[in-house]
Amino acid sequence: MRTPAKTSRRAAAAAAAAALALAGCTGQAGEEEAAPTPGVTADTVTIGTHQPLSGPAAAGYSAVSAATSAYFAYVNANGGINGRSIEYLVRDDAYEPQLTNEVVTELVEDEEVLAIVNGLGTPTHSVVLDYLADEGVPDLFIASGSRTWNQPSLYPNAFGYVAEYTTEGAALAQYAVEQEPGANVCVFGQADDYGDGILEGVEAVMGGNEITQIQTYTTSMTDVSVQLAALKAADCEVNILGTINGFTALTVATAAQMDWFPKWYVSSSGADYPTLVGHLGEETAAQLLEGMVCVNYLPFGPDDEWTALFRQINDEYNEGAPFTANTVVGMSVGYLFAEALAAAGDEPTRESLIAAVESGALQGNGIVPLSYSDVNHAGYGTVGIMTVADGVQAYNGTTYRVEVGQVTEVEADPVPLVNGGIPAG
C-alpha cells in the first residue's frame, strides 16, 4: 500500500521546514550537521513491530514479541549494543491489514523508529511493504514464509526470516518419499498463501499427479471432519500439514475420533510440541503425536546451549511464560537484530543497518548460518527434520537445503553460542 495522504502532508511539511533551516544557514555546506538518524540517540535505539496480540491469531503468536522483548531486556541489562540499549515498541494489529497500516504508520512517523523488525503475517505485512520501501525504513526479518520479501531489486530494504513455505513443503515431501516409499501422500493445508506454499513445495518434489488427495480449511472453521473423512477415504498414509498449531491439534484429535491414525508430517508453524500439549493435554498428546515429523531451522532441543540460555532469559525477563518454539523464534529474532545493530557501527544509520544485513557477515543462531547478501534477502533455506519420540521433540540428523524446488541433503552446521548470546560490535 502506498503512503497515506497524511504521510504526504507530513513529508511536505518536513521538506518545507528543511528548506527554511537551510535558508538560515550561514556556514559552508561542508559545515552543516547531518540530520539525526530516526530512532537513534546517544544511548538508545528504538525499533518497532506489528504483532497479533489480540484476535484469532493471538494464540501462540503473541508470545513471539514478548520473547523478543525479554531478550532485549537481557541485552540491555548487560550493557546493550555498542553502548546503546534497545527499545522495542510492539503494536497490536489483531492480524487485520487495515490496523497494520495504522500502527506501522504511527511507528514510522510519530515514534520515528529506526526499523520495523519481525512484522508478522503475509496479508498484514503486505499492506505496508511499499510504504516502508518508499520511506527507506529497514524492514527486517519479516515473520512470514512468503517469497514476496525476497525481491531486492523491488524492496532493497526488506528481508525475510522464516523458512519459506515452499521450502518446508519440499523438505517434508522429500523425507516422506525417502522414509515411506510408495505410500499414499496427501496434503491438508490452510486455504491461503501458507497452505498454497506448502502444497507448491510438495508438488516440486512429487509432482501434482502423485499427491493422492488435497484438502484445505479456513481459520474460521471449528470442524474439519469433512476434510479428514475425504483424506481417510482416499487411504492417505502420510498427511503433510500446512496448519497452524490449533488446527494441527484439531486435525489429529478429529482423526483419532474417526479411529484413523496416519503419519503426520507438519510444517514448523503448526508443530510446536509444547503448544500442542497445551491444546490436547499431556496424555492425549503423548498418544497422538508420537512419531510426528516436522521441520525447523532454529535451536530447539533438551541439550542445546541456545535453548538453555533462552530458558534462563525467559525465566528472568519474561515472567516465567511458557517456553515454546515461539519463545525460541522471538529470542532468535532479537539476537539477529542485535547482531545486525552491532555490525552497523558505533553510529548506526538506516543505510548502515541494511548494509550490515547484506554484508553476509550475519550468522544468526540456526542449525546453519544465514546467507543474506545483496541478491538474497531470504532467511533460512535449509531446514532440519525433527521427530517426536517419548514426548521429546528433537532433530533426528536429517537436514535439507532447498533451492528452486531441488532438495539436497546436507550436514547441519549449528551456530555456536558465544559471549553469552550478546553480539559484540
Side-chain angles (χ1 to χ4, degrees):
M1 180 174 288
R2 291 291 169 182
T3 310
K6 68 175 182 178
T7 303
S8 298
R9 290 195 296 271
R10 289 179 179 175
L20 289 172
L22 288 172
C25 291
T26 57
Q28 298 296 319
E31 296 175 353
E32 295 170 5
E33 293 186 4
T37 296
V40 179
T41 70
D43 52 13
T44 63
V45 167
T46 302
I47 59 177
T49 190
H50 63 89
Q51 299 287 322
L53 304 183
S54 62
Y61 293 125
S62 61
V64 175
S65 57
T68 306
S69 296
Y71 172 79
F72 288 149
Y74 167 71
V75 169
N76 294 342
N78 287 276
I81 302 297
N82 291 335
R84 290 183 176 86
S85 61
I86 300 171
E87 296 186 359
Y88 190 46
L89 306 182
V90 181
R91 296 292 182 264
D92 181 15
D93 66 2
Y95 209 68
E96 295 180 4
Q98 181 178 352
L99 190 53
T100 305
N101 185 63
E102 294 176 9
V103 300
V104 169
T105 300
E106 174 196 338
L107 287 167
V108 172
E109 298 180 18
D110 297 339
E111 302 292 349
E112 297 185 331
V113 295
L114 173 66
I116 297 295
V117 178
N118 201 225
L120 190 146
T122 303
T124 46
H125 199 77
S126 293
V127 302
V128 296
L129 185 64
D130 286 325
Y131 169 61
L132 293 173
D134 290 345
E135 296 294 318
V137 179
D139 188 6
L140 305 182
F141 320 136
I142 301 166
S144 155
S146 172
R147 292 179 175 179
T148 304
W149 329 125
N150 186 20
Q151 299 186 79
S153 60
L154 289 177
Y155 303 109
N157 63 316
F159 297 83
Y161 179 67
V162 304
E164 293 179 348
Y165 304 137
T166 52
T167 295
E168 294 199 352
L172 289 168
Q174 185 67 36
Y175 192 71
V177 168
E178 292 175 1
Q179 297 297 312
E180 310 289 341
N184 291 336
V185 176
C186 301
V187 178
F188 182 43
Q190 202 159 286
D192 57 16
D193 66 290
Y194 171 31
D196 291 344
I198 295 294
L199 176 59
E200 183 181 344
V202 175
E203 289 176 333
V205 170
M206 300 185 61
N209 293 332
E210 298 301 317
I211 301 173
T212 301
Q213 178 74 212
I214 300 168
Q215 290 289 320
T216 62
Y217 73 93
T218 65
T219 54
S220 62
M221 291 179 174
T222 57
D223 183 358
V224 294
S225 58
V226 172
Q227 291 88 338
L228 293 183
L231 294 170
K232 182 180 180 182
D235 194 25
C236 297
E237 297 169 284
V238 173
N239 286 320
I240 297 178
L241 304 185
T243 51
I244 58 177
N245 285 304
F247 278 87
T248 303
L250 179 62
T251 297
V252 298
T254 302
Q257 291 172 354
M258 296 177 172
D259 197 30
W260 183 45
F261 303 95
K263 296 183 182 298
W264 304 110
Y265 282 47
V266 192
S267 73
S268 65
S269 296
D272 176 40
Y273 189 79
T275 300
L276 294 175
V277 168
H279 284 290
L280 296 168
E282 288 190 14
E283 184 176 346
T284 300
Q287 294 174 350
L288 301 186
L289 300 180
E290 181 72 13
M292 181 181 73
V293 173
C294 62
V295 289
N296 201 350
Y297 41 88
L298 293 175
F300 196 80
D303 302 320
D304 184 86
E305 57 186 356
W306 285 99
T307 303
L309 172 65
F310 290 163
R311 284 187 182 277
Q312 174 188 333
I313 294 172
N314 192 62
D315 289 342
E316 187 169 354
Y317 296 97
N318 201 18
E319 300 179 350
F323 189 88
T324 69
N326 283 327
T327 311
V328 174
V329 170
M331 293 194 188
S332 296
V333 167
Y335 173 80
L336 182 57
F337 174 76
E339 191 180 9
L341 183 61
D346 290 338
E347 299 299 329
T349 64
R350 286 174 169 173
E351 293 75 17
S352 71
L353 187 60
I354 292 171
V357 183
E358 286 190 332
S359 71
L362 306 187
Q363 291 194 313
N365 68 328
I367 62 171
V368 296
L370 284 160
S371 55
Y372 290 121
S373 71
D374 58 350
V375 295
N376 177 37
H377 284 196
Y380 288 96
T382 297
V383 296
I385 300 295
M386 303 184 79
T387 52
V388 174
D390 296 326
V392 177
Q393 187 174 38
Y395 288 105
N396 68 13
T398 302
T399 306
Y400 295 119
R401 174 73 180 171
V402 182
E403 296 178 290
V404 197
Q406 298 296 314
V407 183
T408 305
E409 187 167 354
V410 297
E411 291 291 328
D413 183 22
V415 178
L417 174 68
V418 296
N419 197 42
I422 300 176

